Amino acid sequence: MEKTMTPVLDVEKIEQAGNPVSGAGKSLTAKRRRYGEIIGRGLAFSCAAAVILITLAIIYFIAVKGLAIFTVNGVSIRSFLLGLQWYPDRPAAQGGPLVGAATMIIGSVLVSLLAVLLSTPLSVIVSVFMVEIAPGWGQRVLQPAIEILAGIPSVVYGWIGLSMLVPFIRIHSGGQGFTGFSLLAGFLVLSVMILPTVISVSADSLKALPGQWKEAALALGSTRWQTIRMVLVPAARTGIITGVVLGLARAFGEALAVQMVIGNTREIPHSILSPIMTLTSAITMDMGYTIMGSMWNNALWSMGLILLIMSFFFILTIRLVVKRGMVK
Amino acid sequence: MNNRLADRLATVMFWAGALLVLLILGFLLGYILIHGLKDISWHFLTSPPQNMLAGGGIGPQIFNSFYLLLLAMLITVPVGLLAGIYLAEYASQSRVTESIRLCIETLSSLPSIVVGLFGLLIFVNMTGWGYTLMSGALALAVINLPLMVRVSEEAIRSVPPELREASLALGAARWQTMWRVIIPSAFPGLLTGGIIAAGRVFGEAAALLYTSGMSSPPLNFADFNPFSHLSPLNPFRPAETLAVHIWKINSESLIPDVRRVADGSAAVLVLVVLIFNLSARWLGRVIHRRMTAA
C-alpha cells in the first residue's frame, strides 16, 4: 500500500554499482556488512514468520482439541449446537452424559448483541462530536478519556459490575426473587467496555472523509445536522460498521467481566433480569475442575473452538464490508 | 420541524453524548478510587494474602504482575520490533506479506480466553512446566504481539524517507541504516507504543487463569537465586497476578474482607494503568521535543 509512496530505491544495485566501499566486496568491513545484512534480514523475516506460525498453531491445536467431542466422544454436531441439556457427567445408568451447548451459545449471542445495540448509537454520536462538532475539545479531552476507558482492565469492569450494578439491579427489580446477577448486568457492563473500540474506529473513518463533501453539503444550504445525517455518517458507514463488528467481537469473547455479573445459570433467559451463562463463562469456570480428555473437558474445548470460529467470522465480515465499501 | 430547530436539537444531542461518556469515565474512576484508596496502606501493598482470615495484603500479587509483564515484554519487544521492521522495510506486496497481515489481524481479534486455552495446551501441558510464570509470559506475548508489530511498523514508516535516503547515499547498508538511523528516530513512537501495549496486558486476567495459575506459593523475598523454589525471581513457579487475584477472591475465596481486598486491588490496578498511560504521553512529548529542538 504505502510501498508505492516511498521512492523505490534498489539498494542492492546501488551498493554493487556505485558504492565505493561495498562495491569492492573484498575489504573486511564490506564483508562483515554483507553478512550483517543477510543475518538482519533473516532475523526480521523469521520474526514475521513466527507470527504466521503462532496463528496456525493456535488454529490447529484448538481445532484438534475442539473436534474431539465429535470424533472421540461421538456427539453429533447438531446435538452439541442445538441441545439444551447439559449433564456432562451423568452416569450411563441414568441415560449417559449429555452436552448441549445451546443455552450458552444463546447467552453469548444475546448478551453481546444487546451490548452492541446499546453502545452503537452513543458511539456514533460521540465520534461525530469528536470530529465535527468540537474537534479541538474532542482531541484534548475526549481522546485521552477514551484511551483511559480502553485501558481499564476487564476484571475491574467486572468488579464494578459486581459490587455496584448487581446490587442496584437487585434492589430495583421489584423483589421477585431476582438476585441482580443477570443478562441486564452483563450487557450493561459490556456496552461500556466496547465503547472505546466503536468510537475510535468510527471517528477514524469520519476523519478520513474528504473535506469537500462537507463543504459542498453546507454550500448547498444544508444545516450541520443535515450534513452529518445525510452526507457524513452515510459516507463513513463502512468504518462505522467495522467498528461495530469489532465491538461485537470483543463483547462475544469477553470472559471475566461477564462471568462475574451474569449469575451463570444454564437456562434460556425469559427476561433481561434472569441469569444466563455464556460460552466464555463456562470455559472460565469449568476448565480448572475437569480432567483433560474427559467428555466434559472436551465440550469446553469445543466451546473454545466456537469462539475461534466466531472471531474468524467477524474478521471475514469486516473484510467483506470494507471491500463492498470500496467498490461503491 | 423546522431545520434550524432540528439542527440546534442535534447539537444538544451531540454534546449530551460526549458529556455522558465523560460522566461514565468520571464515575468509574471515582468509584474505584474512592472505594479503593482508603484501603491502600503500606501493609496492604506489601503483605501476603490470607486464605481464611481478614487483613491480608496483595504484596506478592503486585510483584507477580510486574515480573510477568517484564518477562512478557522481553519476548514481545524483540520479536514484535523485528517483525515490524520486516513489514516496514523488507516486505513487498507479496502473498507472504498479505498472509502475515491477515495473521496479525486474526491474532489481535482472538478472545484472550482462547489464547489462554492455547497456552494451557502448549505452554503448560506439552512443555510439562505446569502453571508457571513463563507459561503466562508466553501467553501474554501472544496477546501483545500483534499490537507491538503494528506499533513498530507504524513508527518505522513515519520516519521521513529523506533520512533513510541520506544514510543509504552515504554508503550505509540497509541494516546499518535501520539500526543507526531509522530506529533511533522512530524511538519516541516505539517507546510510547510499547508502554501502551504494556499497560494493556498489565490488567489481563483471562489468559492467565490457566497458564500462570491462580495460586501464589510462599515466597522468600530475600532469596535472589532464580533457580530456588522460594525465590520470587524463579520464572518456573506458579504466580497469581493482581488482576487474577481480584477475580479469584470474588469467585472462590473464604476471606471475610473480600470487598476491602478487591476494592484496594482494583484501585492499584487502575492507578498503575493510568500511570502507564500518562507516562507514555509525557515521555513521548519530552523525547519528541528533545529530538526536534536539540
Side-chain angles (χ1 to χ4, degrees):
Chain A
M1 285 156 263
E2 260 145 281
K3 209 66 198 171
T4 48
M5 288 168 62
T6 51
V8 184
L9 287 175
D10 198 333
V11 183
E12 258 116 83
K13 254 188 204 147
I14 296 173
E15 276 187 353
Q16 271 151 22
N19 196 310
V21 186
S22 68
K26 278 170 193 158
S27 73
L28 193 66
T29 40
K31 224 178 212 169
R32 227 158 85 209
R33 230 170 40 174
R34 198 85 209 146
Y35 283 129
E37 182 69 33
I38 292 168
I39 293 171
R41 196 189 176 125
L43 261 178
F45 178 74
S46 53
C47 285
V51 175
I52 299 186
L53 253 171
I54 293 169
T55 315
L56 292 181
I58 291 177
I59 296 169
Y60 173 77
F61 284 108
I62 301 278
V64 167
K65 285 293 284 178
L67 292 174
I69 193 106
F70 310 119
T71 55
V72 178
N73 303 98
V75 176
S76 76
I77 295 180
R78 199 185 141 87
S79 75
F80 180 74
L81 292 178
L82 302 178
L84 292 168
Q85 252 121 8
W86 179 263
Y87 303 110
D89 50 356
R90 192 165 65 173
Q94 290 167 31
L98 270 177
V99 284
T103 45
M104 287 156 271
I105 295 172
I106 292 171
S108 282
V109 170
L110 268 182
V111 82
S112 45
L113 277 182
L114 286 172
V116 165
L117 274 182
L118 186 64
S119 198
T120 303
L122 181 58
S123 302
V124 174
I125 288 174
V126 174
S127 56
V128 171
F129 178 86
M130 281 170 68
V131 180
E132 291 301 326
I133 311 284
W137 208 72
Q139 199 63 39
R140 269 201 323 277
V141 181
L142 271 174
Q143 187 67 37
I146 285 159
E147 276 167 29
I148 292 172
L149 213 52
I152 296 179
S154 70
V155 275
V156 173
Y157 278 109
W159 168 241
I160 295 173
L162 180 64
S163 63
M164 195 262 314
L165 194 59
V166 168
F168 183 85
I169 294 173
R170 177 166 54 229
I171 292 164
H172 293 87
S173 61
Q176 294 157 40
F178 292 116
T179 57
F181 290 99
S182 54
L183 174 58
L184 177 65
F187 82 75
L188 282 178
V189 167
L190 278 178
S191 65
V192 178
M193 288 182 72
I194 63 175
L195 271 179
T197 311
V198 190
I199 292 177
S200 50
V201 178
S202 313
D204 284 346
S205 74
L206 281 166
K207 267 180 216 156
L209 294 179
Q212 296 99 305
W213 294 6
K214 180 173 113 187
E215 283 153 25
L218 291 174
L220 286 170
S222 321
T223 61
R224 185 164 68 177
W225 168 233
Q226 285 169 328
T227 311
I228 290 167
R229 190 163 53 97
M230 297 195 263
V231 179
L232 300 179
V233 170
R237 70 184 179 285
T238 305
I240 294 173
I241 295 171
T242 304
V244 171
V245 176
L246 282 175
L248 188 61
R250 182 156 184 219
F252 199 84
E254 175 53 45
L256 301 189
V258 176
Q259 188 271 341
M260 287 166 89
V261 301
I262 55 172
N264 302 299
T265 310
R266 280 190 186 85
E267 273 164 26
I268 295 179
H270 44 85
S271 88
I272 56 168
L273 292 175
S274 355
I276 57 162
M277 190 157 192
T278 63
L279 294 167
T280 50
S281 73
I283 297 173
T284 318
M285 293 199 309
D286 295 343
M287 192 48 98
Y289 302 102
T290 51
I291 302 154
M292 269 281 180
S294 67
M295 186 166 172
W296 190 337
N297 189 265
N298 285 345
L300 297 177
W301 285 96
S302 309
M303 293 184 202
L305 180 60
I306 297 181
L307 291 176
L308 185 73
I309 292 171
M310 284 307 288
S311 82
F312 288 142
F313 170 75
F314 291 132
I315 293 176
L316 216 72
T317 312
I318 290 172
R319 293 216 150 195
L320 274 177
V321 168
V322 172
K323 217 180 203 173
R324 271 247 182 112
M326 283 206 279
V327 171
K328 271 177 190 171
Chain B
M1 193 162 46
N2 124 12
N3 285 334
R4 269 264 164 93
L5 186 65
D7 189 55
R8 290 251 168 85
L9 284 177
T11 307
V12 171
M13 174 186 80
F14 285 117
W15 276 94
L19 287 178
L20 179 61
V21 168
L22 288 181
L23 267 177
I24 291 174
L25 176 70
F27 175 78
L28 292 177
L29 289 182
Y31 183 86
I32 297 164
L33 296 179
I34 287 169
H35 282 90
L37 286 181
K38 67 176 192 308
D39 299 318
I40 296 179
S41 62
W42 184 246
H43 172 79
F44 180 68
L45 292 178
T46 53
S47 58
Q50 294 284 344
N51 289 328
M52 311 282 280
L53 303 169
I58 51 169
Q61 279 74 22
I62 295 181
F63 176 82
N64 287 342
S65 292
F66 280 106
Y67 192 40
L68 188 60
L69 180 64
L70 176 75
L71 289 175
M73 293 312 274
L74 282 181
I75 305 166
T76 318
V77 169
V79 178
L81 180 59
L82 283 167
I85 289 176
Y86 179 80
L87 284 178
E89 179 71 17
Y90 295 109
S92 50
Q93 283 290 327
S94 68
R95 272 248 174 86
V96 185
T97 316
E98 186 50 32
S99 55
I100 293 173
R101 286 187 200 287
L102 182 64
C103 285
I104 291 172
E105 206 177 320
T106 312
L107 274 186
S108 66
S109 77
L110 278 185
S112 57
I113 184 92
V114 172
V115 178
L117 290 181
F118 173 71
L120 171 64
L121 205 56
I122 309 296
F123 310 136
V124 174
N125 289 341
M126 277 175 109
T127 55
W129 294 341
Y131 294 149
T132 61
L133 270 168
M134 193 43 90
S135 325
L138 286 165
L140 284 188
V142 171
I143 291 185
N144 224 351
L145 197 56
L147 184 61
M148 199 64 222
V149 176
R150 258 184 223 162
V151 163
S152 324
E153 189 190 352
E154 241 168 66
I156 291 167
R157 278 195 196 278
S158 67
V159 173
E162 295 83 18
L163 279 179
R164 186 169 165 275
E165 282 157 24
S167 167
L168 292 173
L170 285 171
R174 238 169 158 185
W175 190 246
Q176 279 178 318
T177 304
M178 183 49 77
W179 283 106
R180 308 242 175 108
V181 179
I182 298 182
I183 299 284
S185 57
F187 188 69
L190 288 172
L191 189 69
T192 41
I195 295 178
I196 288 172
R200 270 232 187 131
V201 291
F202 189 77
E204 177 55 48
L208 296 177
L209 294 179
Y210 300 116
T211 50
S212 61
M214 286 183 257
S215 63
S216 196
L219 297 175
N220 175 9
F221 277 89
D223 186 349
F224 292 106
N225 174 10
F227 301 105
S228 155
H229 278 298
L230 289 177
S231 170
L233 295 179
N234 182 357
F236 292 98
R237 64 175 175 92
E240 183 194 41
T241 66
L242 200 52
V244 173
H245 190 60
I246 295 180
W247 182 77
K248 199 192 128 197
I249 56 172
N250 273 299
S251 65
E252 51 188 34
S253 170
L254 298 171
I255 51 171
D257 54 349
V258 169
R259 170 91 216 207
R260 182 188 68 90
V261 178
D263 274 340
S265 309
V268 172
L269 208 53
V270 167
L271 280 178
V272 173
V273 171
L274 275 180
I275 290 169
F276 271 120
N277 204 310
L278 295 177
S279 67
R281 285 171 170 276
W282 177 78
L283 262 175
R285 259 209 317 272
V286 167
I287 295 178
H288 182 76
R289 205 181 304 145
R290 280 237 169 135
M291 288 185 60
T292 45

